[in-house]
Amino acid sequence: MKSIGKVTGIIANLVIVETRERVAQNEICFIKHDDTRLMAEVIKIMGHKVYVQVFESTRGLKVGSEVEFAGHMLEVTLGPGLLSKNFDGLQNDLDKMTGIFLKRGEYTDPLEKDKEYEFEPLSKEGDKVIAGSWLGEVKENWIGHKIMVPFAFNGEFTVKSITKKGSYKMNDTMAVLVDKDGKEHKVSMVQKWPVKVPIRAFKEKPRPFKVLETGVRVFDTLNPIAEGGTGFIPGPFGSGKTVLQHALSKQAEADLVVIAACGERANEVVEIFTEFPELDDPRTGRKLMERTTIIANTSNMPVAAREASVYTAMTISEYYRAMGLKVLLLADSTSRWAQALREMSNRMEELPGPDGFPMDLPAIISNFYSRAGYVFLNNGESGSITFIGTVSPAGGNLKEPVTESTKKAARCFYALSQQRADSKRYPAIDPIESYSKYLEYPEIVEYLNKNNGENWTTNVWFIKDSLLRSKEVYEQINILGDDGVPLDYHITYWKGEVVDFVISQQDAFDKIDQRSEFKRQRYMLEKVVDVLKSEYKFESFEEVNPYFKRMINQFKQMNYSEFESEKFKKNEKELEVIIQERKVA
Amino acid sequence: MEKDTKAFQRVYTKLFQLTKATVSLKASGIGNEELAIVDGRLAQVVKIMEDIVTLQVFAGTEGIATDAEVIFTGKAPTLKVGEDLAGRFFNAYGEPIDGGQIMGEEREIGGPSVNPVRRKQPSEFIATGIAGIDLNNALVTGQKIPFFADPDQPYNQVMANVALRAEADKIILGGVGLTNDDYLYFKRVFDDAGALDRIVGFINTTENPPVERLLVPDMALSAAEYYASEKGQKVLVLLTDLTLYADALSIVSNRMDQIPSKDSMPGSLYSDLARLYEKAVQFPDGGSITIIAVTTLSSGDITHAIPDNTGYITEGQLFLRKDSDIGKVIVDPFRSLSRLKQLVIGKRTREDHPQVMNAAVRLYADAANAKTKLENGFDLTDYDERTLDFAKAYSEKLLAIDVNIEVDAMLETAYELFGKHFSPVEVGLKQEFVEKYWKK
Ligand SMILES: Nc1ncnc2c1ncn2[C@@H]1O[C@H](COP(=O)(O)OP(=O)(O)O)[C@@H](O)[C@H]1O
Ligand SMILES: [Mg+2]
């Protein structure tokens, strides 16, 4: 029997329900309104009064309306077919909804229950299995989608029977398992899981030790993110958070990408809907959309579902990680989720923390980030979730609760600078403020030097240092004037500019420049380091600026040409000529 | 005490709590956000607790007595939509200002959002003739973008120009706290341009109660949705000034004792503004809603909560500033941005458009550095001098808001300026464009 109650109060999307029956914190309920049912989540219980946040508009709702509790928390449906889907924050398939406008109370099936999948068993009768063990596999696009022992199964089971190779629908029984008491359990291709609970079907979570190649130089070369690592991108509006995340979603070396569009613009999601089905995934030759799942809760969609959207995205990521896949999870913007928490906390008249955010915001954020990570599964395979969130600080000021809490939780910090964006130095990552803690992990250093040449990290620190010194002398030049400083200062300044223009800056809208693989990054890094380590002869400071501008211009022509193509080589030759003009032998 | 007048109209006459903006009374069977008439003034349900209903009175509660008559209408705010709307001006409640009735179908305002998968990616360039917009910050149908301007900038004039040149099927003006003079100004320019039959206005002037303003954008956008989604028309919505809208929001939340966040604004400001701006849309069948708004700033401060939240929502912003070197108002190339420009520039316009745009802005930035040097009393290099000359000409010939030319002419002008002041290497365009377009 499901618990029931009645609406006794309504303040925007906070509704108070009276019930004398059993309810649980975070339990889902449905409020009957005319001929629709509005989904809501329990957020506080005070005696017989239950506070619920409604995931829909409450316009027209009346006290006395009937409420039915669902008996479970907010959960997602996990099974083959999640890839290429466009979901809302509650995992409704947006493509299945009727009409142009969203209708409240319309909830659609996230999967295709009538579709047939080619099943292949991976286990046999008598096998001992636990939650997350791979029983079989079906093809989902090009991915071998594992059919696993449901995560909710506790303890050890024995496979009693496994369905043989063939094509089946997702609700068909794929295996029968027997628990230690001899009770039988049927397993299909589908399972449900509450989004706020981490899926822990793995053996261990080691410190990340590999780098996720993103094709974006400010990441890979300057501040690499580990596979299974965490990072965040704070920045004022218009500084390039979304463009950067889209670049990552297109180019990163991940098996699949889950994008949570959380409280941001609908047109940005439309851009993905429109472009990804056309763009090629260079790794597989298939379309990008085939490795992408979008969870869209745009800023005009119900505010309460913003929080749900990031958890839904994380849970789907964990599901694929348990199949031994490399998942990249992106959330834009985590600040909108924090704001949704703030709106609700204010409505409940809770004691506010800094800037009106709930007191437990730091804990909520760090819990969420801790769900990312590289894992060794129980069968010896490995999988990972690399998580990168954006943060939208009020007024662009990084001293605010969401940025500060996130800084404690994430290991990479990609600070976007308004000044760099204003001068169109894209991506506008501040090369000095930003950091990757992973660059200090010995296992990551070893990995990088093994894959990109033994001098790689030395070179990386060398160019970082050059950027810093360039900035320092620039301030001196500004104070003392062009002719008030030694000639060397100008050269130091311009060497840093070479790093900035050739490595830091990258045109996200240029077909060639937008993606730079490690091989190419290594080549360019060595070239740039060469230039920085050389000495150049100048008569006066006035010669320095035009000379380096020419050099940078030539370097950029290389960045715009396909790696190792004729054009690339021709541009490189011309660059050599420029270098030789003033280089001291 | 309770009597039924019409089918679902219930009348009450016992208020037990009054604040500056709200009244509370015992009532039953009332829906959230339902409209009521309190002592002849429009009000809306904002809170229901058991049998106590709290209503927000748009025109304020001054003079309302505890025995005032409260009539519940049984419905949320609505607008009558139909072809009749064209050429007419309405108040915040959707009633014709010049009296009379309009025929049409009644629609709830502030209705649901478009399913994102039913949207189309905007791709149609809107030419305005203003190079500060078309060259550097090209606009696209279905976009939402505000002017950021100090109150003394001529933003309403620029907006009227843009609207008239934009080739929209309908122009919907949402006047939010508009001065009466500006209201008459809009009416006159639209009339002079012979465009009145394409205009629909929803006007709240400074003479009307501020809280009433909260209805204006929803009215304007509901009318826009009717034309765009049902009639497949290209609709341009002008909302001026949304800073006053946000101010009205803060008045209400303050009176309801909500905890304010930054700059005394309600914590929900982002969601409240996004709900409006996200009505901008390109439908697959050609209909579209483009929103051009105004956000007035206080002395150029864009970190204030209103412009800050706006910037996070809109697809860029057009920043108006007086350039003292040329004595004209320009569209500031640094602070302005059109996020949708890359959907059209170099595609709907000439291939070199993005490069030319970026190069010119970069040189303008160099000029700004040179200026700082000069102000700090340092000598300028020859290059510095040339950037300063360039910046002045660039400002005069391209950035000023009185420029009115075609995009190709803008590009040609840019090359003229490049050629006059710089070498191709200094400008740094792709070689193929230099060969094709550079003026010797
Ligand atoms: N890497 C880039 N290359 C070129 N232009 C960029 C780049 N990053 C950002 N931009 C420009 O800045 C605009 C705003 O970027 P966006 O990512 O939407 O900002 P945010 O998400 O931080 O508000 C884009 O529309 C684009 O014009
Ligand atoms: Mg963004």
Side-chain angles (χ1 to χ4, degrees), chain A residues 8 10 60 97 263 393 395 482, chain B residues 32 48 50 118 270 308 312 373:
Chain A
T8 60
I10 307 159
M97 296 196 166
D482 283 335
Chain B
N32 191 29
I48 308 174
E50 317 258 349
R118 302 281 177 262
Y270 177 84
D308 186 49
Y312 275 118
K373 261 194 198 172

Side-chain angles (χ1 to χ4, degrees), chain A residues 257-541:
Chain A
V257 181
V258 180
I259 301 175
C262 174
E264 295 280 311
R265 303 174 185 86
N267 275 339
E268 293 174 345
V269 190
V270 176
E271 191 180 319
I272 304 179
F273 296 158
T274 314
E275 292 179 1
F276 278 32
E278 306 295 324
L279 291 174
D280 291 322
D281 176 358
R283 299 155 29 89
T284 58
R286 324 240 336 196
K287 294 299 172 198
L288 268 182
M289 200 61 208
E290 295 185 39
R291 69 158 192 179
T292 312
T293 297
I294 298 165
I295 319 292
N297 175 269
T298 57
S299 58
N300 54 340
M301 288 161 82
V303 177
R306 273 192 216 155
E307 187 195 10
S309 71
V310 293
Y311 285 99
T312 297
M314 179 58 92
T315 310
I316 291 175
S317 303
E318 286 175 331
Y319 176 60
Y320 281 99
R321 176 173 66 182
M323 295 176 203
L325 295 170
K326 206 197 276 188
V327 185
L328 174 63
L329 171 62
L330 301 166
D332 186 13
S333 149
T334 59
S335 293
R336 305 299 162 221
W337 155 39
Q339 284 176 341
L341 295 175
R342 174 170 72 183
E343 280 184 35
M344 196 40 76
S345 153
N346 291 356
R347 239 164 249 148
M348 302 223 298
E349 299 177 358
E350 289 174 351
L351 195 66
D355 288 5
F357 284 105
M359 285 293 214
D360 55 350
L361 183 72
I364 294 173
I365 290 175
S366 88
N367 262 327
F368 188 80
Y369 273 80
S370 73
R371 288 174 72 170
Y374 192 98
V375 300
F376 289 118
L377 303 173
N378 290 308
N379 62 4
E381 301 279 336
S382 61
S384 64
I385 299 173
T386 309
F387 175 53
I388 300 167
T390 65
V391 168
S392 319
N397 179 1
L398 299 189
K399 291 216 170 323
E400 57 90 42
V402 185
T403 312
E404 287 180 333
S405 309
T406 311
K407 208 166 176 179
K408 286 179 201 140
R411 308 250 77 198
C412 295
F413 176 60
Y414 301 101
L416 289 170
S417 128
Q418 181 72 62
Q419 219 186 340
R420 284 181 68 82
D422 284 348
S423 52
K424 315 277 179 229
R425 293 183 177 222
Y426 290 122
I429 301 274
D430 186 318
I432 308 214
E433 291 294 308
S434 306
Y435 60 76
S436 160
K437 289 273 185 221
Y438 299 113
L439 216 41
E440 292 159 18
Y441 285 26
E443 50 275 58
I444 295 277
V445 171
E446 192 184 322
Y447 177 90
L448 283 168
N449 290 346
K450 193 167 138 240
N451 286 286
N452 299 331
E454 54 183 349
N455 291 327
W456 174 265
T457 44
T458 319
N459 283 343
V460 169
W461 287 111
F462 182 76
I463 60 165
K464 276 174 173 274
D465 188 51
S466 152
L467 285 167
L468 186 62
R469 283 192 299 150
S470 168
K471 190 183 167 206
E472 283 165 3
V473 297
Y474 183 65
E475 281 159 12
Q476 291 289 310
I477 298 173
N478 272 342
I479 297 167
L480 302 170
D482 283 335
D483 46 6
V485 295
L487 184 60
D488 268 2
Y489 278 39
H490 289 274
I491 299 171
T492 305
Y493 167 63
W494 276 100
K495 282 181 172 176
E497 287 288 271
V498 171
V499 178
D500 193 336
F501 276 91
V502 181
I503 293 183
S504 301
Q505 292 179 44
Q506 189 169 3
D507 189 341
F509 302 116
D510 183 84
K511 271 199 185 61
I512 306 289
D513 196 30
Q514 61 181 200
R515 180 169 204 269
S516 183
E517 67 271 46
F518 256 131
K519 206 167 91 186
R520 179 177 186 142
Q521 292 188 45
R522 173 180 175 181
Y523 192 83
M524 294 308 281
L525 177 63
E526 284 169 1
K527 194 115 211 138
V528 166
V529 167
D530 245 14
V531 164
L532 301 195
K533 286 193 171 156
S534 305
E535 281 181 38
Y536 302 86
K537 200 167 67 246
F538 293 100
E539 297 301 325
S540 80
F541 75 83

Side-chain angles (χ1 to χ4, degrees), chain A residues 235-245 247 264-265 268 332 390 416 421 424-428 506-509, chain B residues 311-312 314 337-342 357-358:
Chain A
F237 63 80
S239 57
K241 297 180 292 297
T242 305
V243 170
L244 193 55
Q245 278 213 338
E264 295 280 311
R265 303 174 185 86
E268 293 174 345
D332 186 13
T390 65
L416 289 170
K424 315 277 179 229
R425 293 183 177 222
Y426 290 122
Q506 189 169 3
D507 189 341
F509 302 116
Chain B
Y312 275 118
T314 54
L337 167 72
S338 163
R339 291 162 184 268
L340 300 191
K341 63 176 182 285
Q342 46 265 23
M357 161 190 85
N358 282 329

